[in-house]
Amino acid sequence: MDGVPRVPEQRGPGSSAAAAEPAAALRFGVLGPVRAWRGEEQLPTGSPQQRALLAALLLREGRTATAAELIDALWGEEPPSQALAALRTYASRLRKVLTPGVLVSESGGYAVRGLEDGALDLAVAQELAAEAEKAKNAGDPCHAREVLGQALSLWAGEVLAGVPGPYAEAQRVRLEEWRLQLQESRLDMDLELGCHAEAVSELTALTAAHPLRERLRELLMLALYRSGRQAEALAVYADTRRLLADELGVDPRPGLKELQQRILQADPGLAQPSAPVAEPAAVPVRPAQLPATVPDFTGRSAFVSELSEVLATAEGRVMAVSALAGIGGVGKTTLAVHVAHQARSAFPDGQLYVDLQGAGPRAAEPETVLGSFLRALGTADSAIPDSLQERAALYRSVLDGRRVLVLLDNAKDAAQVRPLLPGMEGCAALVTSRVRMVDLAGAHLVDLDVMSPDEALSLFTKIVGEERVASEREAALDVVAACGFLPLAIRIAASRLAARRTWTVSVLAAKLADERRRLDELQAGDLAVKATFELGYGALEPAQARAFRLLGLSDGPDISLAAAAAVLDLPPEDTEDLLESLVDTSLLESAAPGRYRYHDLVRLYARACAERDEQPPGEREAAMSRLLDFYLATAAGVYAIERPGDRLVDHLATTAYPAMTFEARKDARDWLYTEANCLLSFARQCAERPDALRRAIDLLWAAVDISESGANSKEYEATARTLLEAARRVGVEQVEARALMTLAHAHLDSGRFDLADQEAEQVISLAHRADDLLPVCWAHNARGVIALYQGRNADGEEHLSHAIRHFRTLDDRPGEAAILCNLSRIHLATGRTPSAVSLAQEGMEIYDAMGNSMRGANGRYALGMALTQSGQLAPATDRLLEALEVFRDSRQRLWEGMTLFRLAEVDIAARRYAQAAANAEMALTVLRGIGGEWRRGNVLTVLGRALTAVGHTGRARVCWEEAVSIYDELGSPEAAAVRELLSPVRAA
């Protein structure tokens, strides 16, 4: 990449004159309309000619302009007869507005002097461009890109907008060219940093606006290629070659031809940044993810030396791997972290860490871990591929030439570890696991045993204190022996003793003497770990022990303070005291303020304790029931806040435990998305409890926004499927109907319409027999929408008519509004445009009257479509932009993407083809991974139409061919219409 462009024919930014104190608050803008401010007050700058004078003086950066030069700047070769008098009048008026001493007369001319640094937006832009150039040369493209973005943000429309005269026109051309150069430089850095998918939309619009600018075309080709869109990249070249031949009679420049050949050959170099990689010290991101080493690390000197020697050989080997194995609680992680910290200087390019959760029921997926590692190493989200193999290959490529240490903690097996190994010379990996990884090729295996008695006593003494242990050495030896010399058990015991100043070591030793509570679990495998936790659990106060047992019952990555309070049936303040006391014993972890989690093995132990110790036994079920009530009541409350007047909340299962309350809509929405993983995990867990099944399914229905957001769509669908299977085992028709409805909703969101239609049909039959009318309403709505999508408009109208009748029976006004909006789309599809507008308007007004902003956005979406077809493009754009703002604020990615798609349709109707292409590109980006292939085909069709209109017929053909392929696979009737679009393109 070339250096950051400088302003053509301009000297350095700013004036060197000292700023007078009165002028300190003056600011001026020329990168847009000519404007002036004193502080926050905008000053009047007068007539167009008066603004032209001010602009001419500002752009001379403190130099004096003669009267003749200024007259020529304002009027050119044909000035009015009183030009000099007019010039003096403009100068006099400006003096009255500006601070005294700023506009000065000198040698028969004028100058603007005494401005502070940063007083002129152009000077600020020049300084930012210079800073970006330095950052780029120093190997910091991230900072350079950020600074260029700041510079470009200073433009406020057309430069010197509305200012007459030849000088202003020349400056407009010069500064617009500079702006384009800055945009090209910033887009070049976008591609260098892996943001190619995001750059496509902007480059598409820019190439449409500047069709003969070959550098923009080159960047667009590269961005498309790196986004996996090779055919479109080649189509851009074909479009460019044809355009240059038609308009100028020339061929593309050599650089563009070379890029085309490299794309044809799938040159691996194109997948890398265009600029050479800087020295290791200039790598943008240097991860330092190692957990803190414990200050009281004790013993293990032989193992430390052995592992340190292996890591020291990493520089000369393809890869150094050490795998530590041992039972839970033996100190594998503590040792690995300690050794890794000691070796940090040998790995200057960073250290990566992950807990692979191999001891739990759901170990971390390698592709998920690779995604987090790639982000930590500076890879943009858009550049991270989907498959495990591609992520592993990119991971190794990113590590090539770096010296990075990877600590893989708590691994399940060698298969989980292999994709995460660096594989590069100079890198190393430390692995901890409960199993010996004999099938991990080339690994240096270390079996970690318990501590020696001396090491165990030393660790105990460091935690408890020398004074307390010295007087009771024999009792201390009894304690560490009772702990089986397991470090984790010793640490827990010592911590409890240290926190209780009234206890003696002998008291603790006496508690541990009862082998019935300790030695019977000292067996091989997982059960051996329980002995290390028995000490800490046995030393808890009754209320602490109850909390420890009950909080381990629920699935989920962690638990919030409010949810824990529901489990324990205690006020939040008392719950927090208990949980924090458990954190002090290391039996519980504080994941974040107000959130807590168990280590995997401690959770299993807590559940075993609950099964063994909880009295009466029904208390376990009661705790789970309270948590389910809490989640359901709170999710229903969020639903009601997001959808005022919606009757769903009146048809959910009743709850005995109260919900959380929220002061603002944003707080409610944040709670839902923060708790999404916990809600879904717990709902799946409830599939094994028939008495909880109805409430779990209603919880899923109330949390439907989780599905529509796209963030947890797959987990939502999996949970719905699990609950449906459980409902069928139970055999209660109402429960099965509701479970089917949630699954149908998930399939409708993901574009699997045939599945959703079959499920909705079953819902209608089951719910009718169960006399449960609300699922019937929504099932008819779903079938009506699916029929609309599939071109079965008569069927769709029939289903929607049934739905609106049932909603009116239930006095469900928001439901009625939803059907009116969907009926509007049926009317559109059947040519009844005026009634379509009326229906959508009526639906939107119902939503607005109830204060239902999110579903009001759906009403605006439908109305925008109807207005577009009726030719009312300006109000259509307004309604869709209003909807887009709400969908983005509500994190509804599916509807955000679809609204961008509809805006692209309006843009095409209004002949704003470049904007249409940009909106369609953004829609593709937002809908990535959600919405299904049918919706993607629709967006590609519209993108092709926009690209054709701006002359990118090659890219348009590629888009339409992909759309036809999608429609053919789905059996969608839209394929025929797109083939007709392709016919003239092929003929050309």
Side-chain angles (χ1 to χ4, degrees), residues 912-966:
R912 299 188 294 262
Y913 300 116
Q915 184 61 45
N919 277 328
E921 284 285 2
M922 284 191 286
L924 285 176
T925 300
V926 173
L927 291 172
R928 187 164 47 195
I930 58 172
E933 288 297 287
W934 180 77
R935 291 184 176 97
R936 176 175 171 80
N938 293 345
V939 180
L940 286 168
T941 302
V942 167
L943 177 58
R945 292 172 59 199
L947 291 171
T948 298
V950 296
H952 295 197
T953 54
R955 276 188 69 195
R957 184 180 64 251
V958 173
C959 292
W960 287 338
E961 287 173 347
E962 184 178 352
V964 167
S965 176
I966 289 171

Side-chain angles (χ1 to χ4, degrees), residues 50-64:
Q50 188 171 309
R51 295 197 300 275
L53 170 62
L54 178 59
L57 296 175
L58 288 170
L59 290 171
R60 278 170 169 76
E61 301 174 340
R63 291 171 285 133
T64 301

Side-chain angles (χ1 to χ4, degrees), residues 14 279 306 309 349 367 409 451 495 520 537 592 706 725 814 820 899:
E279 292 297 318
E306 179 182 352
E309 278 185 20
D349 296 317
E367 53 262 47
D409 193 18
M451 284 181 151
S495 298
D520 57 352
Y537 174 69
I706 294 175
E725 292 169 358
L820 289 169
T899 306

Side-chain angles (χ1 to χ4, degrees), residues 555-597:
D555 283 346
D558 59 8
I559 190 167
S560 69
L561 177 60
V567 171
L568 302 178
D569 198 19
L570 292 172
E573 297 81 7
D574 295 345
T575 302
E576 185 173 21
D577 290 342
L578 279 174
L579 269 55
E580 288 297 328
S581 70
L582 290 174
V583 170
D584 291 340
T585 69
S586 300
L587 290 172
L588 194 66
E589 299 175 15
S590 178
R595 302 198 72 84
Y596 301 87
R597 68 185 177 203

Side-chain angles (χ1 to χ4, degrees), residues 822-888:
N822 290 331
L823 279 171
S824 167
R825 297 179 62 179
I826 293 280
H827 282 225
L828 275 184
T830 52
R832 293 171 283 174
T833 304
S835 59
V837 173
S838 299
L839 286 167
Q841 182 75 39
E842 184 182 355
M844 185 187 74
E845 288 172 355
I846 291 174
Y847 282 134
D848 289 349
M850 307 194 81
N852 196 328
S853 62
M854 188 165 75
R855 288 309 170 209
N858 289 110
R860 282 162 173 75
Y861 175 90
L863 182 57
M865 290 177 60
L867 291 170
T868 301
Q869 193 156 316
S870 71
Q872 302 178 62
L873 303 183
T877 301
D878 291 342
R879 298 296 82 74
L880 289 171
L881 287 174
E882 290 165 1
L884 181 63
E885 181 181 358
V886 174
F887 289 140
R888 281 177 173 164

Side-chain angles (χ1 to χ4, degrees), residues 432-448:
T432 73
S433 177
R434 295 192 305 165
V435 298
R436 296 187 80 244
M437 295 198 173
V438 294
D439 53 347
L440 192 61
H444 175 78
L445 301 181
V446 176
D447 290 325
L448 192 59

